[in-house]
Amino acid sequence: LPQPQTTLNYLGRFDYPPQGPSNGTGWEPVTSIEFDTTILGNVPVTAILDVNAYVYESGGVPILRATWVYPPGVLPAADVTELTDLWTEALTALADHISRPGAGRLT
């Protein structure tokens, strides 16, 4: 099969366990990782667009964070900006839908 040109990696929710430091019942994320890195130079990529997303808590509010990595010589920045805007619009519509009373189950 052809190699995919886009990858999406949901890394999970980084607030486990929710009640404070680990007591041996779960894992704790490594907080020193920097997700907002950029491909520099002529580094080979496995996909034209690589999206990594995770959820963390700030002030008791869950926040979705995503990084978009792409080789600028292959994919124009304007196209990536348009795609991130559309992606944000779609996620916002889903969040609005599921926050309504009686919205149903899984979305």
Side-chain angles (χ1 to χ4, degrees):
L1 295 175
Q3 187 73 8
Q5 295 187 16
T6 304
T7 60
L8 173 62
N9 187 13
Y10 176 63
L11 301 169
R13 187 171 178 141
F14 292 174
D15 65 348
Y16 185 87
Q19 268 65 32
S22 177
N23 57 10
T25 61
W27 61 272
E28 291 182 51
V30 177
T31 57
S32 62
I33 295 175
E34 178 57 54
F35 287 96
D36 292 329
T37 57
T38 309
I39 295 177
L40 301 174
N42 292 325
V43 178
V45 294
T46 58
I48 293 174
L49 180 62
D50 182 34
V51 181
N52 290 291
Y54 63 98
V55 173
Y56 68 98
E57 286 210 19
S58 179
V61 176
I63 297 172
L64 176 68
R65 178 137 189 205
T67 59
W68 299 64
V69 179
Y70 62 95
V74 176
L75 194 59
D79 289 352
V80 176
T81 299
E82 181 181 6
L83 186 56
T84 60
D85 289 345
L86 292 169
W87 191 68
T88 301
E89 187 178 311
L91 289 178
T92 301
L94 282 172
D96 288 346
H97 169 72
I98 64 171
S99 66
R100 295 181 190 142
R105 299 182 196 259
L106 301 176
T107 301

